[in-house]
Amino acid sequence: MSSVIIVLGSPNDDQGNLSDIALSRCQAALSVFKKNPHSRLLLTGGFGEHFNRSDTPHARHCQCYLMQQGVPESAFTDIVLSRFTFEDGTLSVPIIEQHRFSEIWLVTSEFHMPRAKLIFSQLLPELSFHYIEAKTAISEAKLQQLIRHELSVMGRERTNLAKLLSMNQ
C-alpha cells in the first residue's frame, strides 16, 4: 500500500521561522514518518497575508525544517501552494492521484482536524485515512478562540464541497 503523510500549512513569520503551530505539525509528521519510512510527505501552504508573507512558500519552510530533522529530500512530493484549508484539499488531489496513494496520514492541529477531516474525506472518499492531531502549546483561551473560528467556517466548507462535488458528477 502506497501512503502519504499530508502536513497542512500554518503560520510562519516574515523571515520564514515556523510558528509553534507549524512546528507541532512538523513534529507530528516526523513521528509518523519515522514509523513509516517508505511513506512520502506532501506539504501544503503557499503565501497569504495571514500566514506567510515571506518570499518562500510556507511548505518549503516546513520541508527545510523536516530535512534538518533527517527526512531525505526524496521523501517529498511536489508541494501544494495553497492559501487556505479548502485549497489544501483540492490542490492535493492531483498529487495524490498522480502517485496513486491509497493511504493518507493527515496531520494538522487538534483544533483544525474536524474541518480538515470533513474536506479531505469528502474529496477522497475511496482512500484509507489516519488522522494525526498535533497538540499545540497554547493557552486554553487561545485554543477556545481557534475552536470557535473553526466551528464558524464549517458551513462554508460544506457549501464549497457541495458545489465542487456537484460540478464533478
Side-chain angles (χ1 to χ4, degrees), residues 63-80:
Q63 183 178 18
C64 288
Y65 174 81
L66 289 166
M67 288 172 60
Q68 290 168 355
Q69 307 305 308
V71 176
E73 188 172 0
S74 61
F76 296 93
T77 66
D78 291 337
I79 63 169
V80 171

